C-alpha cells in the first residue's frame, strides 16, 4: 500500500498536429474512463492546450488534467513569442519547469535561477509546478559506495536551487521529476534500482530541508525512455511515485497501459 497517489505525466514535446492532438485526447478520454487511483496529466504543445481543453469539455475523467510544458519568467511585457503564467491560468493545472531540453538544448539554455523564478511564479498563481532535475552523464559506480558524479551538477543541488525560497506550505503542490538526461529519448532507461536510489536521495534532501512529513508526502516520478514494458520495473520501486513519458505518451494504447500499471502497482492506502 502506498500513501502517495501515483501520477503519470505525458510530455508531448513539440509533436502532434491539431488533428493528432484531438485523436489522442479522444483516446485518453475513453481509455482512462474506468481507471482510478492515478492522476494523469497530459502536456500538449501550448497551441493545442485550448482545443484539448475544449475536447475534454468537463466530461473527462477527474483524473485527467492538463499541464503546460513551460512558462516564461516574467508576468507581462515585450517578450515576443513567450507565454505568461496569466495566459496559462484557467487552462492548465500543472506546469513543467526545468525540463532538461530547456536547460541544455534550446537557445542559450535555462539557468537554475530562471527555473526557480518560474517555479515560484507557478506557485504564486496557484498552479502546480513539475520540477525536473537530472544528471547529464550516467553515473559510474567504481568499487564500493555511491556512484560518482562524472560531470555536471548533482541532482540534489539542482533540486535545492529549483526550490530556493519555496515555503514548506507550498511543497505539497510541487511534483518532482527525476529525469537523467542520458536516458531521455535514447531508448536507454535507468534501471528501477538506479532510479529508486536517486529518488531516495532527493527525498532525503527534502526531509532535511522541510521535515520528514513533507518529504514523505511529495511525489517524485522517474522519466527517461519509459514505456509500458519497462514501466512496472520503476513502479514497483517504493520511492518512485509515477512516470514522465515523452515518446510513449504519444501512443494512446501505450500511455493508457502505463496509467493502468501505475494504478495497479501503487494502490493508495485509505
Ligand atoms: P522520453 O522523454 O520518454 O521520450 O525519453 C521523457 C522526457 O523528456 O520527459
Amino acid at each position: 500500500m502506498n500513501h502517495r497517489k501515483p501520477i503519470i505525466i505525458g510530455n508531448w514535446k513539440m509533436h502532434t498536429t491539431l488533428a493528432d492532438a484531438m485523436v489522442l485526447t479522444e483516446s485518453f478520454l475513453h481509455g482512462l474512463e474506468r481507471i482510478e487511483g492515478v492522476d494523469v496529466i497530459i502536456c500538449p504543445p501550448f497551441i493545442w492546450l485550448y482545443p484539448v481543453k475544449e475536447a475534454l469539455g468537463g466530461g473527462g475523467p477527474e483524473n485527467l488534467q492538463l499541464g503546460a510544458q513551460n512558462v516564461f519568467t516574467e508576468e507581462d511585457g515585450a517578450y515576443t513569442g513567450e507565454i505568461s503564467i496569466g495566459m496559462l491560468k484557467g487552462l492548465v493545472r500543472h506546469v513543467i519547469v526545468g525540463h532538461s531540453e530547456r536547460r541544455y538544448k534550446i537557445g542559450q539554455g535555462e539557468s537554475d535561477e530562471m527555473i526557480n523564478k518560474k517555479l515560484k511564479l507557478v506557485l504564486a498563481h496557484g498552479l502546480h509546478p513539475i520540477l525536473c532535475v537530472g544528471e547529464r552523464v550516467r553515473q559510474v559506480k567504481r568499487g564500493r559506495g555511491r556512484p560518482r558524479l562524472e560531470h555536471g551538477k548533482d541532482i540534489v543541488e539542482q533540486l535545492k536551487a529549483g526550490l530556493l525560497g519555496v515555503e514548506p506550505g507550498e511543497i505539497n503542490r510541487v511534483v518532482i521529476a527525476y529525469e537523467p538526461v542520458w536516458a531521455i529519448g535514447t531508448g536507454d532507461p535507468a534501471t528501477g534500482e538506479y532510479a529508486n536510489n536517486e529518488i531516495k536521495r532527493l527525498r532525503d534532501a527534502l526531509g532535511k530541508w522541510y521535515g520528514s512529513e513533507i518529504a514523505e508526502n511529495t511525489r517524485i516520478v522517474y522519466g527517461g525512455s519509459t514505456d509500458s514494458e519497462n514501466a512496472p520495473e520503476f513502479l514497483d520501486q517504493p520511492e518512485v511515485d509515477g512516470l514522465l513519458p515523452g515518446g510513449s505518451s504519444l501512443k494512446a494504447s501505450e500511455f493508457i497501459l502505463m496509467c493502468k500499471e501505475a494504478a495497479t502497482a501503487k494502490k493508495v492506502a485509505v
Side-chain angles (χ1 to χ4, degrees), residues 11 13 99 101 179 183-186 223-226 244-248:
N11 177 10
K13 309 194 182 188
H99 191 281
E101 283 152 16
E179 297 209 301
I184 294 180
T186 58
S225 295
T226 54
L244 199 168
S248 49

Side-chain angles (χ1 to χ4, degrees), residues 101-251:
E101 283 152 16
R102 301 210 57 89
R103 286 182 192 259
Y104 309 120
K105 197 168 156 182
I106 298 168
Q108 316 254 303
E110 290 184 5
S111 64
D112 281 320
E113 291 69 31
M114 284 173 78
I115 291 158
N116 175 247
K117 200 167 174 190
K118 291 178 177 196
L119 183 127
K120 286 197 285 203
L121 207 52
V122 174
L123 285 172
H125 285 261
L127 301 185
H128 299 237
I130 299 163
L131 172 63
C132 301
V133 298
E135 76 280 8
R136 295 186 78 172
V137 174
R138 191 196 283 263
Q139 298 173 45
V140 189
K141 195 164 176 171
R142 295 219 183 85
R144 285 198 273 162
R146 236 177 45 65
R148 265 230 339 252
L149 189 70
E150 291 297 299
H151 106 87
K153 212 172 201 178
D154 183 69
I155 55 170
V156 172
E157 287 173 55
Q158 286 178 26
L159 184 67
K160 189 172 192 174
L163 293 177
L164 194 73
V166 174
E167 301 293 329
E170 296 174 308
I171 296 286
N172 64 351
R173 273 190 287 135
V174 181
V175 174
I176 296 163
Y178 167 57
E179 297 209 301
V181 182
W182 50 266
I184 294 180
T186 58
D188 181 23
T191 63
E193 193 194 349
Y194 185 106
N196 195 65
N197 287 342
E198 293 307 286
I199 290 179
K200 172 90 171 50
R201 286 209 298 124
L202 295 174
R203 199 179 302 287
D204 286 348
L206 282 179
K208 229 168 56 196
W209 306 327
Y210 293 104
S212 59
E213 197 183 329
I214 288 177
E216 276 308 307
N217 289 326
T218 303
R219 291 187 289 186
I220 312 182
V221 304
Y222 166 78
S225 295
T226 54
D227 56 28
S228 64
E229 216 167 289
N230 62 33
E233 179 183 344
F234 295 103
L235 295 166
D236 282 345
Q237 300 287 337
E239 297 293 338
V240 182
D241 299 321
L243 303 168
L244 199 168
S248 49
S249 74
L250 296 164
K251 297 174 200 139

